[in-house]
Every structure is written in structure tokens, then in C-alpha cells.
Amino acid sequence: KGSDDEVLTLAAGLPSWAVAAGGGGSSLHVATFSEAGTLAVKSGTFRFYVDRASTIAYARASVGTAPTGATLICDVNKNGTTIFTTQANRPTIAISGNTDESGVPDVTALADGDYLEVDIDQIGSTVAGSDLTVQIYMTVD
């Protein structure tokens, strides 16, 4: 467990943790997942374990190469179950787009020991898209 100034960087492709200054002296903690290269539909393979009680604010997905033919849809799971029971709130990158911020997750509470994973639920049908980064923004309780 670290201070609010801690930045942890893990090997490429693995989730990492960083702290960004927020307004009013608060800080947003950011768990970052990345997938290099051409994307494929897949369930989360890397787990990011939360080491303190936190509240998820939102998620942002970004790609280096935009999907074409169909939107790119990602999902965030807490302990193996989606945090977006309202599936329309998942991060969804539009055709020819490069980024999207999710709607408000339905499940936001995280406890010490919970883990997060990211799924790629849908890719572009003509160009899949590539070099995905999904950031999960949370505040420490």
C-alpha cells in the first residue's frame, strides 16, 4: 500500500496504477490496461488488484488505430462480473473514432482485495482497431 503520490508501472500490457491530482485536494487513482497490436474479442487476461477501498468514477478507452465497420466495445469487470449492468454505458469507441468515456458504472464500490479486468466485447468489422488503452478512474474512500 502506498501514499497518494505513488505511481506504479508494470510491464507492457499489464495493468498499472497512477495517481492524478483532482480538484479540491482530492486525487483520482487510475488503473490502466493496455493491449498492443491489432485487437481481437477477448475476455480479460490481466487482473488489477485494488489495495484500498475505492469508488469507480468512470472508464475511458482509447485506440491508436480507429475501428471501422463496427464500433469497438470494452467492458470492465469487478471480481469477474461487469460493472456496467446498463450495457449501453460501457466504453464504446465509434466507427473511425479514437476514444470514448464511459457512462456512469452501475457498480462503483471496490474493497481491498477486489480485482478489475477489461474485456474487449466487440471490434471493428472492417478494421478491428489497434493499440487499446483502457483507464479506470477511481477515488480512494
Side-chain angles (χ1 to χ4, degrees), residues 21-84:
S26 65
S27 60
L28 282 175
H29 293 253
V30 183
T32 301
F33 292 78
S34 63
E35 182 74 28
T38 301
L39 301 175
V41 172
K42 66 187 272 186
S43 294
T45 53
F46 298 116
R47 289 183 178 181
F48 177 84
Y49 282 89
V50 178
D51 66 355
R52 59 196 94 176
S54 305
T55 301
I56 300 170
Y58 63 95
R60 173 174 288 285
S62 303
V63 290
T65 301
T68 63
T71 58
L72 175 70
I73 302 172
C74 298
D75 200 356
V76 178
N77 298 313
K78 170 190 165 185
N79 300 331
T81 303
T82 185
I83 65 170
F84 296 104

Side-chain angles (χ1 to χ4, degrees), residues 117-130:
E117 296 174 304
V118 172
D119 296 341
I120 303 171
D121 289 347
Q122 180 177 296
I123 58 174
S125 59
T126 304
V127 172
S130 67

